Amino acid sequence: MVNKVLSTVRDLLPKIAARAQKVDDSRKISERTIRELSEAGVFSMLAPKRYGGAESDPVHFYEVIRAISAACGSTGWVASVVGVHPWHLALFDDRAQDDVWGEDQTTLISSAYAPVGRLTAVDGGYELSGQWGFSSGCDHASWALLGAMVVGVDGRPVDFMTVLVPRTDYEIRDVWDVVGMRGTASNEIVVKNAFVPEHRLKRNYETAQLSGPGQAVNPGPLYKLPFGSIFTSTVAAPCVGIVAGCYEGYLDVMRERVRLSLGGGRFSEDQFAQVAVARASSEIDAAILQMDRNIREMYELAVAGQELPLSMRLRARRDQVRATERSVEAIDMLFKTAGGNSLSRGNPIERAWRDVHAGSVHVANEPERALALYGRAAFGLPVEDNLI
């Protein structure tokens, strides 16, 4: 099946690329770009059909994200993270979905999943307070998915939840001024004593078990996939896309470059440069092939109504963090061999280098924990983690 959204997005890429420096300088993506991506169908690719979504094969979604990220890392990151939230919301109670999409099916959602919020039981639901960092694209969203823990009468946590909160119940603090992914506007969200009805809460344990009340109204295979595979791939795909785009730009520039030192000569004829290009391209290909294979095989099993084995979920997590590591390795090779010209601010290689390194520090891209989980299972030891 042809990825129709990708075809539409490709027409937008020159404009997105032309805006990339302004996005980096201003620390935000324009409303115009968000509107264009929305009209192209990017944010509805993983949304339920009954709310105007496409319920796309997730491999197609990540293909679109890589293409956008190749043009502008920050735009690709926000498109990916905001674009995955309809998938998560589809697992919630039907009433929560209607709260968000009942009047406007284009409504966007941001997130901050770290369980730093505090939920206290009250009549009819819970009271929520907390402060969350790193909510990418929150300025464009009308709702937020926030991580929180339910506390008992003794003040100790008794359960971990994801909470759906409307924009009217939280404050956004503009604190995002960082080295890379500058345009994601991943600002802080603050909630003070907001009431949350029970239908807007979802247990993280339940999500890890591949279940949720939303599956009763959204029975498609897309909503039988693991959060630990879908969301983590969402923060790896932009990194892969950024370096893939940088690689193509690198070849265009360096193919005709002539060195004025080290004996001169065409850069493209330098054997060390040729080896660096080969290594970088291999890392990019490996990252894409492994991630797409894993998500495709999971989706095919879900379509067939078959169980997703733990070994497959662990492999997907393994390859997802390795994809991010491969992206860092590839961008470092390109940055290093590009020479002093890559150091100037505004150089696409310099911006890509900053963006990939910034994206790699997201907790879901941290490799050691995910790789250790795979290793535990390989040795026959028990494995339990919410991001599998």
Side-chain angles (χ1 to χ4, degrees), residues 35-57:
R35 183 176 64 254
E36 289 171 346
L37 293 176
S38 180
E39 291 172 351
V42 174
F43 298 121
S44 60
M45 288 187 76
L46 303 184
K49 289 181 179 178
R50 64 200 192 92
Y51 283 113
E55 291 191 28
S56 299
D57 181 331

Side-chain angles (χ1 to χ4, degrees), residues 179-196:
V179 172
M181 294 289 187
R182 286 177 54 80
T184 63
S186 303
N187 288 308
E188 287 184 353
I189 286 180
V190 180
V191 177
K192 296 179 180 177
N193 304 319
F195 173 73
V196 183

Side-chain angles (χ1 to χ4, degrees), residues 335-373:
F335 183 80
K336 183 177 180 179
T337 59
N341 290 314
S342 63
L343 296 174
S344 59
R345 289 278 296 175
N347 184 298
I349 295 176
E350 177 264 349
R351 186 171 59 245
W353 184 85
R354 288 188 288 108
D355 285 347
V356 170
H357 277 270
S360 73
V361 303
H362 189 287
V363 65
N365 281 330
E366 192 274 321
E368 278 71 23
R369 180 177 179 83
L371 297 178
L373 289 170

Side-chain angles (χ1 to χ4, degrees), residues 69 96 104 108 145 166 198 233 257 278 310 376:
S69 301
D104 184 358
L108 302 182
L145 291 164
E198 285 198 41
S233 296
R257 178 166 293 176
L310 179 61
R376 283 184 62 86

